[in-house]
Amino acid sequence: MESQHPISQCRTRRSAGRCAFGVGRGDRDGLLAADLRAVVEDVVAIDVDEDVLESAQREADDVEWVNGDVMDYPFARTFDVVASIATFHHLPDPRAAFGRLAELTAPGGVLVIVGLARPSTPLDYGYAAVGAVQHRWSSWRYGYWEHSAPILLPPPQTYAQVAETAREVLPGAQWRRLPLFR
């Protein structure tokens, strides 16, 4: 099975060598944007938190850091890879967010969203239980990481609602439910 992590997508797609866009940079060494930069020449990342971006600039100065809101920032270009990890549930309207991220994705490009939603079915709760065990193990193995993003729990939409919206807005989209709350 092909990994859904944006870096794996970059390595397996012909478009990976051109440009990528990271939504919500996160803390700790630039995370997504710095990882994308390791495999893509031109990376732009956006976040609404200016302090977080200043820190990111110090850690990865070969990424173009943008202070703004992905939903209305006036980009004059599209990207071969658009990636978002644990940011999507912070965007207030999933339908508009899917549309906006698709709009920023170049023809033939790839949009990868690793997101979080609210469990609502027995299967969702099973995944949540496995995710809780994974999280505990990862925290023990690698140390607990405290991010600066606001905690939004429970997420407003269920996995079923997000999947349905994705199918409506992004025909042909692949949807996979993963453990670790994703």
Side-chain angles (χ1 to χ4, degrees):
M1 178 165 79
E2 180 181 26
S3 171
Q4 293 303 297
H5 191 281
I7 305 309
S8 297
Q9 291 290 316
C10 287
R11 288 185 176 130
T12 60
R13 304 264 179 186
R14 276 186 283 158
S15 64
R18 295 185 294 216
C19 60
F21 177 59
V23 180
R25 95 136 190 108
D27 294 336
R28 193 175 65 176
D29 301 330
L31 288 176
L32 175 59
D35 287 348
L36 286 168
R37 181 58 189 95
V39 294
V40 179
E41 294 177 17
D42 177 19
V43 176
V44 176
I46 192 167
D47 200 296
V48 296
D49 188 326
E50 190 171 342
D51 293 335
V52 167
L53 290 174
E54 286 177 17
S55 171
Q57 178 68 39
R58 288 190 299 273
E59 297 295 331
D61 64 358
D62 55 353
V63 170
E64 180 183 339
W65 300 104
V66 175
N67 182 224
D69 184 336
V70 67
M71 296 304 294
D72 58 21
Y73 190 85
F75 289 103
R77 63 190 256 193
T78 59
F79 302 89
D80 299 311
V81 176
V82 174
S84 170
I85 296 179
T87 302
F88 194 81
H89 67 284
H90 290 281
L91 303 175
D93 179 354
R95 181 174 301 284
F98 279 129
R100 174 62 170 157
L101 296 180
E103 181 181 285
L104 292 170
T105 305
V110 61
L111 167 58
V112 180
I113 299 171
V114 179
L116 177 65
R118 189 176 72 245
S120 63
T121 68
L123 184 60
D124 287 342
Y125 285 106
Y127 274 109
V130 171
V133 171
Q134 280 184 306
H135 183 272
R136 296 286 288 180
W137 182 85
S138 293
S139 294
W140 170 80
R141 174 79 171 89
Y142 302 107
Y144 183 75
W145 170 59
E146 187 68 43
H147 57 78
S148 66
I151 306 276
L152 181 61
L153 293 175
Q157 290 84 25
T158 67
Y159 286 101
Q161 290 168 327
V162 175
E164 180 180 340
T165 303
R167 284 189 290 272
E168 291 171 3
V169 178
L170 305 169
Q174 295 179 9
W175 173 268
R176 293 196 179 127
R177 177 70 171 90
L178 303 171
L180 201 51
F181 316 113
R182 307 285 188 247

